[in-house]
Amino acid sequence: MSASSSAPARDRLRIAIQKSGRLADPARSLLAACGLSWRQSRDKLFCFGESLPVDLLLVRDDDIPGLIADGVCDLGVVGLNELDEQAKARRRAGLADAYQPLRGLGFGQCRLMLAVPDEWDWQGPAQLAGKRIATSYPAILAAWLQEQGVEAQVVELSGSVEIAPKLGTADLICDLVSSGATLAANQLKPVQTLLDSEAVLAGPVHALDDARAGLMAMLLRRLDGLSKVQDRKLLMFSAAEERVDALARLLPDAEPLLRLPAEGGAVRLQTMCNGALSWQRLEELERAGAQELMVLAVEKSLA
Ligand code: PRP
Ligand code: ZN
C-alpha cells in the first residue's frame, strides 16, 4: 500500500535510519548537523524530535524503502543499492514506484559488483552463461543480465553471500564491495561493477500536502547548504604587497584573493578554497611570503 491522499494529515515528519551498521552513525550526525535533536526513547527505536517536529525511527536498512512506500515514514537514509533493488523488484511485480532518491549524502560509498573465484580468468559477461550467481540483489542482477543478453541462474541469499562459491551453491557472487576485504578473505576477486552506491535521502514520489511538506523542504535546503560547505575552507593570511601575485598563483583552485583593510605595509587576504589544505601546502605558501596563515572550516551556508 502506498501513502495516499486519504491518509490522515500529520504535522510531524518521520525519518527512518539504520539502527546499527555502516550508515547509522553518519546518518544521525548529518541530521544533527541539519539542526535536529531528539529525546532518546527507552526502547531506542523511536526518537522524538525536540528542536523540530522531526522524529527518527531506527530500523533495519532493508526495511526503509517499504516504510516509505507504506507511508509509515516520510524520509529515510538508505543505501542506493537497497533502494534500487527494491524499486526494481516492485516494478517486476507490477507495482507503481513508491519512493525515490532525493539527495546523495556523500557517505556509505560502495559498489555492487560481480566477484569470481581468484583462479578464474575473467573475460567478460558472456562467460556468465549458464553460471549460478549468488546475491542479495536479485532484481538488480536480473536486470543487468538481461541488459547484457546473458542467461545465468540467480541464486538469492539473504546473507553470507561470499561463502556460496566455497559451499558449492553458486559459481560466483554479486555483492557489495567497500574495502574489498570480505572478497579477499574468501578468495574472490571483483570483476564487474553493476552499481555505484552511496547513502541517499529517500522520499516519496508524490509531494506531501500537509505541514510535513514545509519541514521536508527546510531539511532539504539545510542538507544542500551542508553539502555546499562540506569541502570549503576559508584561508586567511597576510603578506607584503609585492608577494601577493606570487601567492595568488599558488592558489589556482581558490576564489580570487579578497583584500581586507589592514594597518601598516602588510596586506590582509582571504579566499575560499575547495578541498583540503594540507600542512605542506600552507608551508609552501609561507615560504612564498604568506604570514599568519589560518584555515577555517565553513559550517553553514544558505546561499
Ligand atoms: C556489505 C557486503 C559485504 C561487505 C563488504 O555488507 O555484504 O559483506 O559489506 O565490505 P568490504 O568490501 O569492506 O569487506 P554491509 O555491511 O553493507 O551489510 P548489509 O549488506 O547486510 O546491509
Ligand atoms: Zn542490509
Side-chain angles (χ1 to χ4, degrees), residues 124-148:
Q127 205 177 348
L128 300 172
K131 295 282 191 288
R132 297 162 304 157
I133 312 175
T135 191
S136 311
Y137 297 87
I140 297 178
L141 176 58
W144 183 83
L145 287 169
Q146 197 173 357
E147 249 170 56
Q148 302 295 319

Side-chain angles (χ1 to χ4, degrees), residues 7 28-29 38 49 55 67 106 111 115 121 125 157 184 196 204 216-217 220 227 229 234 256 258-259 264 292 301:
R28 259 187 114 104
S29 312
W38 309 272
D55 306 322
L67 289 167
R111 287 169 166 180
D121 177 20
L157 296 178
D196 279 301
M216 196 185 286
L220 288 174
S227 74
V229 300
L234 183 68
L258 179 71
R259 289 161 185 259
E292 301 168 315
S301 159

Side-chain angles (χ1 to χ4, degrees), residues 161-185:
V161 169
E162 60 277 358
I163 59 167
K166 224 175 278 168
L167 298 179
T169 49
D171 302 302
L172 67 150
I173 70 168
C174 168
D175 200 10
L176 291 183
V177 182
S178 166
S179 66
T182 303
L183 292 186

Side-chain angles (χ1 to χ4, degrees), residues 153-262:
Q153 189 190 331
V154 177
V155 179
E156 186 175 351
L157 296 178
S158 56
S160 305
V161 169
E162 60 277 358
I163 59 167
K166 224 175 278 168
L167 298 179
T169 49
D171 302 302
L172 67 150
I173 70 168
C174 168
D175 200 10
L176 291 183
V177 182
S178 166
S179 66
T182 303
L183 292 186
N186 289 280
Q187 291 82 49
L188 297 168
K189 59 180 178 189
V191 291
Q192 170 80 48
T193 300
L194 273 60
L195 177 78
D196 279 301
S197 181
E198 66 168 333
V200 297
L201 183 73
V205 279
H206 300 296
L208 300 169
D209 54 7
D210 52 28
R212 292 171 294 167
L215 288 168
M216 196 185 286
M218 182 172 72
L219 187 65
L220 288 174
R221 185 147 184 260
R222 290 185 182 183
L223 273 176
D224 291 343
L226 282 179
S227 74
K228 225 171 279 162
V229 300
Q230 214 155 44
D231 298 322
R232 310 209 83 198
K233 302 272 183 284
L234 183 68
L235 173 67
M236 301 180 76
F237 57 96
S238 56
E241 177 65 55
E242 63 272 20
R243 299 293 187 98
V244 174
D245 288 344
L247 285 164
R249 281 195 293 277
L250 287 176
L251 292 162
D253 50 346
E255 289 174 6
L257 290 175
L258 179 71
R259 289 161 185 259
L260 303 176

Side-chain angles (χ1 to χ4, degrees), residues 85-103:
E85 169 65 24
Q86 296 197 29
K88 283 195 164 68
R90 278 183 75 92
R91 267 177 231 156
R92 281 161 72 94
L95 296 168
D97 288 350
Y99 32 79
Q100 59 178 333
L102 299 174
R103 294 290 188 281

Side-chain angles (χ1 to χ4, degrees), residues 18 60-62 81-82 137:
Q18 198 184 32
R60 274 166 29 118
D61 64 333
D62 312 36
N81 50 291
E82 196 61 55
Y137 297 87

